[in-house]
Amino acid sequence: LTINPAAFRSRLLPLVVAAGHIADTELTKAAELDDDPLLSWSNTQTQAYAEGIPGAERLSYRTDEAGLLRAVLRCVATHGAARTLDVIAEGGAADTRVSSQYETPAPIAELMADLLARPGEAYPGCVFDPACGTGALLLAATLRGARTLAGQEIVPLVAAHAAARIAVAEKAARPQVVVGDSLREDAYPTLVADAVLCAPPYGQRDWGQEELAYDSRWRFGLPPKAESEFAWLQHCLAHLAPGGRAVLLLPPGCAARPSGRRIRAEMLRQGALRAIVALPVGAAQPLHIGLQLWVLERPVDHPPRSASPSPTLSPSPFPSAASGSAARPATVLLVDAFVPDGPQVTGVQRLGDVTGRRPAPEWSAYRRVVLDAWREFARDPEAFAPIPGTARAVPIVDLLDEAVDLTPARHVRAAPMPARPGELAEVAHELRDRLRETATTLVSLSSGPDWPSAGTTARSWRTVSVADLLRGDALTLLRVATSARGTSPGWRGTGAGYEDTSGDDPLRTLTVRDVVSRRPASGGAADAPPGEKIVIREGDVILPETRHAGTAAGAGGGAGLGAGAGIGAGAARVADANDAGHLLGRHLVLLRPDPNRLDPWFLAGFLAAEDNVRAASSGTTVVRVDPRKLRVPLLPLADQRRYGEAFRQLNAVRTAADLAQRLAAETIRTLATGLTGGALLPPP
């Protein structure tokens, strides 16, 4: 379904929403109608939904659109309304791209929506997003219980998509999304919301500073021309009821740039800033920086911009936010749970990419750390116990220095470690014991008989390509389809909120990152492509389809197998009992050998050889490997098993070496932290 121009796409949205409420069988019948009956049916069905979608008011379909309407109805009947909206949005991506404005990934939207919740209280009934984009944040709030949603978006087609997206996902929600520039032309001047979620555009110089210099929203000071984020931040606070909470996704410069120092200081003095959470680099676009979540609360002694509900919303009025204490807070929670130094043996693991539809398992751990810290702090800020290296309640008076630098890492990482010396000594002792055991295992695996020379000349073989083995039924090649795409971020959920299966679902998906990093399958079931699933069996040989130039160096020589270690330029994995039963992910090739003709370890060892991979590769920056061009020697099965056992031994050495490296890094970090923090003394 290809839809152009943008006018067609916006006109189709009410039909998609209406079709999402109709049975698939009825949609199929409607698609078979002649043109005139189809137009009449479509116009009737969309009347109830067109008014809620910007640009679709008083909509009436024309005769020349009948073919397009049929395609939409069949798409909804086959793939669902959410997927159909995805197709329409993809077609208009080029028309709606706005500088410095990105779709909020579903895991980030979930976390932001969860930060609005108050234990023991109902979820905020009215949630506002003044830069709603395609509605990811409003949708996350809807799935947690918000029922009155107000949004504003400057791009008309994006605003229409947001309204349609929410209407499809949650029938009980009452979204109202309007088109316009929120800072210059606030569509909700009298709105008093329970809560605000916002991921505003950043770095905008032309946000209207001169014409808005005397606007009543700037309670903490006029935002500098280069600091549009502080205009959005104060705009959000202006729409909160006293005691209401807002969560914004902001670039890290907001916490440290000198130009914003005065506003940061005033926010601290008035008690509006409650927490800043540092997100990992790559968690959301732009991927090269680590964004931050700012949690704000409107001081109770600040009157809202208007005490009356917005006359533009129906039904009304908005409920008032929960009342809070008039006492000014004395501390701000700063969280920096991301560990940038790579995998660790204990604590929060290195985070994977969360820009996709489902977070990596490490994101679930990170999310729990952030939410647990915030809930504990919100319960009693004065009694919050610091989490070493992760979270700390910093006194506001300590933050009001010359720089007013609120970067979490500066205060969390630099804080003295309050660990008890005895406990830290026990941890260090346990780590050293594990390191010694692993080193002993590594030495044991590295010992044994010498590997003999092949003689005066290297041994050579007749070789055969994988393509020939496939034709001879000695191998089966499997790969998942990558053209189909699943539902949009944030669409999979339950009435009580998003369904998080990453922690308890035994079915995992093996990803390219898992193969290259030599780790167990880590993807959730939703990370597997839609359609037919490929279940991994023990003995399968798995290879990445692509590799990036420049990553092969240092990947490890020899045969890094089984756990997916690089062999110079290649990588291979022999599936074991732990992999069996899980799903094959995207951009991976699975070769299933006939055990009576091919040994899997032998196959993997030769397939991943550097020269072999290079000969089967094409491309420059992103190198694609054609598995059919890879070659293996023609050897009797007995000889294959001898070579396979050798490759298996090399894999065991690599696995032990990896574990020893991680344990060594964690042991050194723990001992050094204990020494510099005063909890440990130098050995005699």
Side-chain angles (χ1 to χ4, degrees):
L1 179 62
T2 303
I3 306 167
N4 279 299
F8 275 139
R9 290 190 290 272
S10 62
R11 288 172 59 80
L12 292 176
L13 294 176
L15 181 60
V16 177
V17 176
H21 294 73
I22 299 173
D24 295 343
T25 54
E26 187 174 341
L27 293 179
T28 303
K29 293 179 181 178
E32 301 300 325
L33 294 174
D34 292 335
D35 288 359
D36 289 340
L38 175 61
L39 293 174
S40 177
W41 183 90
S42 299
N43 287 325
T44 300
Q45 296 297 327
T46 57
Q47 285 179 359
Y49 304 98
E51 292 297 326
I53 298 176
E57 302 86 351
R58 297 178 297 278
L59 175 68
S60 179
Y61 293 116
R62 303 186 303 267
T63 305
D64 59 343
E65 296 174 319
L68 195 55
L69 300 183
R70 286 194 182 89
V72 169
L73 294 178
R74 288 167 180 161
C75 190
V76 174
T78 305
H79 302 287
R83 177 64 186 127
T84 306
L85 288 176
D86 284 348
V87 175
I88 295 175
E90 289 168 4
D95 301 338
T96 59
R97 187 177 293 115
V98 179
S99 175
S100 304
Q101 189 169 4
Y102 304 97
E103 172 75 10
T104 305
I108 308 295
E110 292 181 36
L111 177 58
M112 294 175 67
D114 284 335
L115 289 171
L116 292 181
R118 301 174 188 265
E121 299 182 17
Y123 196 81
C126 169
V127 178
F128 175 51
D129 184 349
C132 65
T134 57
L137 293 172
L138 291 176
L139 181 60
T142 300
L143 297 177
R144 281 155 177 76
R147 285 296 171 262
T148 303
L149 307 168
Q152 187 165 351
E153 167 57 42
I154 195 170
V155 181
L157 181 57
V158 175
H161 185 76
R165 185 180 185 185
I166 298 169
V168 165
E170 184 56 59
K171 299 179 177 64
R174 304 197 305 269
Q176 178 159 337
V177 180
V178 296
V179 179
D181 184 334
S182 290
L183 296 182
R184 287 188 171 93
E185 301 174 0
D186 187 1
Y188 303 97
T190 60
L191 169 62
V192 179
D194 294 334
V196 175
L197 292 172
C198 188
Y202 64 91
Q204 293 183 323
R205 291 182 173 273
D206 184 24
W207 58 268
Q209 187 209 37
E210 294 181 359
E211 62 224 70
L212 299 174
Y214 299 101
D215 197 284
S216 62
R217 289 172 289 183
W218 317 142
R219 295 181 182 273
F220 307 110
L222 175 65
K225 187 173 184 178
E227 297 281 358
S228 61
E229 296 86 359
F230 284 108
W232 286 100
L233 187 149
Q234 295 185 79
H235 175 73
C236 292
L237 280 171
H239 282 289
L240 273 177
R245 184 175 295 168
V247 182
L248 283 81
L249 180 65
L250 299 173
C254 294
R257 282 194 294 258
S259 54
R261 177 177 60 240
R262 177 175 50 85
I263 293 180
R264 291 195 299 269
E266 193 60 29
M267 290 178 62
L268 290 171
R269 293 189 185 99
Q270 297 191 34
L273 179 61
R274 304 304 299 122
I276 297 179
V277 177
L279 297 176
V281 174
Q285 291 182 322
L287 302 178
H288 64 285
I289 62 175
L291 300 178
Q292 297 174 350
L293 299 181
W294 285 42
V295 182
L296 314 170
E297 288 185 359
R298 186 184 184 94
V300 174
D301 53 356
H302 273 207
R305 203 172 175 197
S306 173
S308 61
S310 171
T312 62
L313 288 171
S314 177
S316 62
F318 284 106
S320 299
S323 61
S325 172
R328 296 288 174 87
T331 59
V332 171
L333 177 67
L334 299 179
V335 181
D336 186 14
F338 177 52
V339 180
D341 298 327
Q344 291 191 352
V345 179
T346 60
V348 178
Q349 302 290 313
R350 186 177 183 86
L351 283 110
D353 180 17
V354 297
T355 60
R357 291 168 177 78
R358 298 296 300 165
E362 295 88 346
W363 173 262
S364 297
Y366 176 89
R367 179 174 174 271
R368 284 194 298 271
V369 169
V370 171
L371 289 177
D372 289 348
W374 166 248
R375 288 163 182 165
E376 187 66 27
F377 173 81
R379 187 177 297 110
D380 189 351
E382 305 305 320
F384 180 80
I387 305 173
T390 298
R392 180 182 171 216
V394 183
I396 289 177
V397 67
D398 292 348
L399 297 172
L400 292 171
D401 56 13
E402 183 178 352
V404 197
D405 190 340
L406 307 182
T407 304
R410 175 176 178 178
H411 302 276
V412 172
R413 303 290 177 195
M417 188 171 183
R420 297 177 181 177
E423 294 178 355
L424 188 61
E426 290 180 7
V427 172
H429 180 74
E430 180 183 350
L431 284 171
R432 294 182 67 202
D433 282 348
R434 293 181 62 190
L435 180 58
R436 280 191 292 267
E437 292 174 4
T438 305
T440 301
T441 302
L442 182 59
V443 171
S444 174
L445 291 169
S446 303
S447 60
D450 291 334
W451 293 44
S453 168
T456 57
T457 59
R459 185 177 179 183
S460 61
W461 306 274
R462 287 180 55 210
T463 62
V464 63
S465 68
V466 168
D468 291 332
L469 293 173
L470 292 172
R471 282 192 290 269
D473 294 329
L475 272 180
T476 302
L477 189 150
L478 300 172
R479 56 159 61 93
V480 297
T482 58
S483 58
R485 295 179 57 187
T487 55
S488 299
W491 285 77
R492 182 169 177 257
T494 63
Y498 283 75
E499 181 183 4
D500 184 4
T501 60
S502 57
D504 53 11
D505 189 348
L507 186 65
R508 315 299 296 165
T509 300
L510 186 71
T511 67
V512 172
R513 188 186 295 269
D514 298 332
V515 173
V516 175
S517 302
R518 304 178 296 279
R519 67 185 186 187
S522 65
D527 288 324
E532 185 177 358
K533 311 295 183 184
I534 297 177
V535 179
I536 298 171
R537 300 179 188 173
E538 189 171 358
D540 288 342
V541 178
I542 301 167
L543 306 168
E545 286 186 306
T546 59
R547 61 187 179 91
H548 292 270
T551 59
L561 298 168
I567 306 178
R573 182 189 190 105
V574 178
D576 57 17
N578 294 324
D579 296 322
H582 295 309
L583 303 179
L584 186 72
R586 296 177 175 87
H587 308 301
L588 291 172
V589 174
L590 185 148
L591 296 173
R592 182 163 293 162
D594 180 349
N596 296 319
R597 300 169 65 180
L598 288 172
D599 179 84
W601 286 94
F602 159 82
L603 182 66
F606 280 98
L607 290 181
E610 183 174 355
D611 291 342
N612 202 4
V613 172
R614 187 180 297 115
S617 300
S618 61
T620 53
T621 304
V622 178
V623 181
R624 181 170 295 277
V625 180
D626 185 351
R628 297 173 182 272
K629 294 182 180 180
L630 296 170
R631 304 186 71 86
V632 295
L634 284 171
L635 295 179
L637 188 58
D639 289 348
Q640 291 183 34
R641 287 172 177 164
R642 287 178 52 229
Y643 278 93
E645 182 57 32
F647 287 128
R648 190 196 298 266
Q649 290 180 27
L650 294 180
N651 171 67
V653 173
R654 168 51 69 90
T655 302
D658 285 347
L659 179 58
Q661 182 182 18
R662 294 196 299 270
L663 282 167
E666 180 69 6
T667 302
I668 293 170
R669 189 190 70 84
T670 302
L671 293 173
T673 302
L675 288 173
T676 57
L680 297 179
L681 300 176

